[in-house]
Amino acid sequence: MSALAARGVHVRFGAARAVDGVDLEIGSGEIVALVGESGCGKSSLARALLGLVRPVRGTVECADRPLDYRRLKEFRRHVQLVLQDPSGSLNPRHTVYEAVAEGLRIHKVPGDERELVAAALSKAGLRPPERFFLRYPHELSGGQRQRVVIAGALVLEPDVLVADEPVSSLDASVRGEILALLLRLRTELGLSLLVVTHDLGLAWNIADRVAVMYLGRIVETGDTARVLTSPRHPYTKALLSVVPEIARQDPIVLKGEAPDPSRIPAGCRFRPRCPAYAAGLPAELAERCEKETLPVLPADRGHHAACVLP
Ligand SMILES: Nc1ncnc2c1ncn2[C@@H]1O[C@H](COP(=O)(O)OP(=O)(O)OP(=O)(O)O)[C@@H](O)[C@H]1O
Ligand code: SF4
Ligand SMILES: [Mg+2]
């Protein structure tokens, strides 16, 4: 069973095809990393999966049922968003208690509010929880604030967390702690996780599966170890070449402008920047790069790449 899935999802902003046909599944208890450079559509896809933007085509499924946009509030109890704290997810005038209790109040969750807030803080590693109740965000460290944000999501006992760049502004040691926390939530609570990041190193450290996104499409997907040790798509190879922990070759610098989702090239969308194409391919393959419409990659657990090269 998939906890959350995108099926043929397209998201547009005017002429910009921010998400241009994506199939993606997050299995129950699975951690999937969605990676790619800035502007490739990661957050737009994440927002579609959260029901925050409605696809112009395709569907979002939660526990194998199509998302009912009239019942978003109910959906929200299953699928929660975790943003990084500097993006303003914590109100500076609210105490930790208020920040975590907010979700309970919005969703009118029955039960002892104090106990539920304490349990969520505790799951997020803030112990003893009562010590944090009356603190304000500015009295906490960056890592503690991020834990409060996570507690605010956990308090609703969701099945899935969608974490958009959860650690990109934290320093290395704190980043490791938060990643360890996310891994623990999966083991202890069976949570499924979609981690959105531009950092392949982070995907390497946390994800079971990785989906590499380029210009609105997933161009390579598969088991993290497989994809990151034997990447097949030239774009994945280039991204990997600049990750010190995993690089096995000299950095590949991608030429060409940052891609524009309102002008997606025909044929392979990566062709204008593809080092393999630029290096020269046999005429028959080069023509396929220029003209062939590559299919949307399947959402199964196999290793797939949207590239005409074997
Ligand atoms: N609300 C919006 N209105 C108009 N265009 C948007 C909107 N949100 C995103 N876009 C455009 O859609 C494309 C994809 O943006 P998106 O934020 O999904 O990328 P991203 O991969 O999350 O980037 P980043 O790594 O910088 O967060 C970009 O070209 C962006 O300018
Ligand atoms: S299909 Fe061609 S242009 Fe596209 S990534 Fe593969 S080699 Fe490069
Ligand atoms: Mg984003």
Side-chain angles (χ1 to χ4, degrees):
M1 192 184 81
S2 76
L4 189 63
R7 312 258 180 231
V9 165
H10 291 250
V11 175
R12 297 219 176 113
F13 299 102
R17 286 142 68 187
V19 180
D20 194 38
V22 164
D23 281 6
L24 181 68
E25 268 185 32
I26 300 109
S28 184
E30 189 177 36
I31 303 184
V32 177
L34 180 63
V35 295
E37 64 197 331
S38 187
C40 71
K42 304 180 297 295
S43 295
S44 303
L45 175 58
R47 289 171 59 76
L49 283 165
L50 284 153
L52 295 170
V53 19
R54 208 167 166 162
V56 290
R57 254 165 76 196
T59 51
V60 171
E61 288 174 9
C62 176
D64 295 332
R65 285 203 309 270
L67 173 52
D68 182 347
Y69 290 88
R70 292 162 306 180
R71 297 164 76 182
L72 275 180
K73 208 165 154 184
E74 203 177 305
F75 170 71
R76 206 52 78 232
R77 294 206 52 186
H78 296 285
V79 184
Q80 276 281 309
L81 172 64
V82 174
L83 288 171
Q84 53 177 311
D85 160 59
S87 67
S89 15
L90 290 179
N91 183 330
R93 288 184 300 277
H94 286 178
T95 61
V96 166
Y97 184 92
E98 289 165 329
V100 178
E102 191 184 1
L104 294 174
R105 292 173 187 169
I106 292 172
H107 290 270
K108 301 192 176 69
V109 176
D112 184 326
E113 187 180 272
R114 265 183 80 91
E115 267 174 34
L116 293 169
V117 170
L121 287 170
S122 198
K123 283 180 200 161
L126 295 168
R127 300 190 194 105
E130 292 77 12
R131 254 183 48 204
F132 292 90
F133 277 3
L134 297 178
R135 303 240 199 125
Y136 285 89
H138 74 266
E139 300 172 299
L140 304 174
S141 69
Q144 288 173 329
R145 284 201 296 271
Q146 194 59 46
R147 287 173 192 273
V148 174
V149 173
I150 293 171
L154 292 179
V155 77
L156 291 170
E157 303 191 337
D159 312 306
V160 187
L161 292 186
V162 175
D164 197 344
E165 301 283 7
V167 295
S168 55
S169 69
L170 300 172
D171 41 330
S173 63
V174 185
R175 181 178 304 189
E177 281 174 31
I178 298 296
L179 294 183
L181 167 64
L182 294 175
L183 282 167
R184 210 175 60 235
L185 294 175
R186 182 260 290 271
T187 0
E188 287 174 7
L189 308 174
L191 274 182
S192 312
L193 217 63
L194 178 68
V195 180
V196 177
T197 177
H198 59 272
D199 179 0
L200 266 184
L202 192 157
W204 174 257
N205 285 319
I206 192 170
D208 305 309
R209 274 196 307 131
V210 52
V212 179
M213 199 167 179
Y214 184 82
L215 201 48
R217 276 273 176 103
I218 287 169
V219 295
E220 183 158 5
T221 174
D223 182 72
T224 304
R226 280 278 297 282
V227 172
L228 301 191
T229 54
S230 8
R232 282 170 46 195
H233 198 282
Y235 179 61
T236 314
K237 290 180 186 170
L239 282 186
L240 265 170
S241 73
V242 296
V243 182
E245 301 111 284
I246 19 184
R248 291 177 170 182
Q249 60 179 115
D250 293 337
I252 301 168
V253 180
L254 290 179
K255 300 196 182 70
E257 297 164 34
D260 175 356
S262 61
R263 288 182 302 154
I264 295 179
C268 169
R269 60 193 61 213
F270 186 55
R271 185 190 45 76
R273 298 171 78 199
C274 178
Y277 175 85
L281 290 171
E284 187 202 328
L285 275 179
E287 194 181 327
R288 289 180 64 199
C289 299
E290 289 151 19
K291 298 197 179 134
E292 190 166 315
T293 307
L294 297 166
V296 171
L297 297 182
D300 63 27
R301 266 123 200 92
H303 183 185
H304 305 285
C307 175
V308 302
L309 298 179

